[in-house]
Amino acid sequence: MKKRVKYIALLLVSLVFILSACTPFDFNGLLGGKTATVGGTVTDATTGLPLSGVTVKSGNVSGTTDSAGKYALYKVPIANTSISASKSGYVTNTQTLSLVADEQKTVNFTLSPELAQDEELRIVLTWGESPSDLDSHLLVPPDASHLNGYEVDYRTKGIDDPDEYPYAFLDVDDTSSYGPETITIFNTLNHTYKYFVHNYSGSPEITTSNAIVQVYDRNGLRKTYNIPTSGNGRYRYVFDIDASGGIINRNVIQEVAPAL
């Protein structure tokens, strides 16, 4: 009986020791769980500038971006599979998360301001470190006064006016990796639009870029397109917008640019 009491007492002491070594964010340590550090930068999709006051959260671990748009989350359980960034007036951005023990992982976010009008769409392109320069292109159909249509890109950015053709504007042109590169459509004409991405840098292949295209409307995130893992060429034909405002998936790599 004395041996049993002694054994139980020893077990309780060991349990207290383990608990005392666990911080509030590392309680999973009791069950053998491990943690990592996650940090990065949050930017505004329409300006490319850093956003302060953004809440970044993964599970029960959260933090807020500073004046440089930077955040850091410590002791994030590696079992966590998602991370989100939110700020009033912006669409919340949620990403999948894959962690290993003691890792220091970078996760950047781009937040789109909320859209107010039914006709508005916003296209946001982000990518990795290389290629350094990917370009967004939106082919706008013609109207009665512009019979050849219009191409919104870094050369002809459109007009930041919802009442003037082409009713679309290149908000941000990024040439030094990561993005964002953003086009806002104020009104859609009753004809087909085409959106594609050009690998302006040329190399490496666009399939290595980890480029993501996200499409927003007044209800929030409408479509997400991940980069195809196969295909040859410098052009990624991502989607069409049809005459009724529907989005038709393409998302293929090809040798030549799409045309209206």
Side-chain angles (χ1 to χ4, degrees):
M1 183 67 179
K2 289 182 178 179
K3 288 184 178 179
R4 181 179 296 178
V5 171
K6 183 177 180 180
Y7 176 77
I8 292 172
L10 182 61
L11 186 62
L12 289 172
V13 169
S14 299
L15 182 60
V16 170
F17 177 78
I18 293 173
L19 286 172
S20 67
C22 294
T23 69
F25 294 144
D26 194 27
F27 190 73
N28 280 347
L30 180 61
L31 301 177
K34 297 179 181 179
T35 65
T37 299
V38 182
T41 304
V42 183
T43 54
D44 184 310
T46 59
T47 66
L49 298 176
L51 271 178
S52 62
V54 177
T55 299
V56 182
K57 185 175 183 180
S58 179
N60 294 322
V61 188
S62 64
T64 304
T65 57
D66 61 17
S67 59
K70 297 186 180 299
Y71 75 93
L73 305 183
Y74 302 99
K75 296 188 180 299
V76 179
I78 63 172
N80 288 10
T81 57
S82 66
I83 184 171
S84 64
S86 60
K87 181 180 174 70
S88 178
Y90 290 80
V91 180
T92 297
N93 187 322
T94 300
Q95 299 187 35
T96 57
L97 191 63
S98 179
L99 300 172
V100 297
D102 302 320
E103 179 182 13
Q104 293 187 351
K105 190 178 189 71
T106 298
V107 179
N108 297 320
F109 291 91
T110 297
L111 297 189
S112 170
E114 294 174 345
L115 297 170
Q117 305 300 320
D118 288 336
E119 291 292 316
E120 286 184 297
L121 291 173
R122 178 167 291 129
I123 306 163
V124 181
L125 167 67
T126 56
W127 66 98
E129 184 176 3
S130 62
S132 61
D133 191 2
L134 298 183
D135 285 324
S136 281
H137 294 253
L138 179 70
L139 302 181
V140 179
D143 69 1
S145 301
H146 305 82
L147 299 181
N148 294 321
Y150 193 100
E151 184 167 354
V152 177
D153 61 18
Y154 67 94
R155 298 161 299 187
T156 49
K157 295 185 177 183
I159 299 174
D160 191 11
D161 186 335
D163 297 318
E164 189 170 348
Y165 186 88
Y167 315 112
F169 183 67
L170 179 67
D171 301 285
V172 182
D173 174 31
D174 183 84
T175 61
S176 57
S177 304
Y178 305 110
E181 184 138 328
T182 303
I183 294 175
T184 298
I185 303 172
F186 304 110
N187 290 292
T188 52
L189 300 167
N190 294 325
H191 298 283
T192 299
Y193 291 71
K194 295 187 178 185
Y195 173 80
F196 66 94
V197 177
H198 177 222
N199 182 2
Y200 186 87
S201 295
S203 64
E205 296 294 326
I206 196 171
T207 51
T208 69
S209 66
N210 294 317
I212 297 173
V213 174
Q214 294 183 304
V215 184
Y216 296 87
D217 61 19
R218 69 172 301 175
N219 296 315
L221 179 62
R222 182 168 170 181
K223 290 277 190 177
T224 297
Y225 296 93
N226 294 310
I227 187 75
T229 56
S230 62
N232 296 310
R234 294 174 64 172
Y235 296 92
R236 177 187 175 190
Y237 179 15
V238 187
F239 63 84
D240 296 340
I241 303 171
D242 66 20
S244 63
I247 295 178
I248 302 171
N249 302 333
R250 303 297 184 188
N251 208 27
V252 293
I253 308 300
Q254 55 190 48
E255 298 282 356
V256 296
L260 286 176

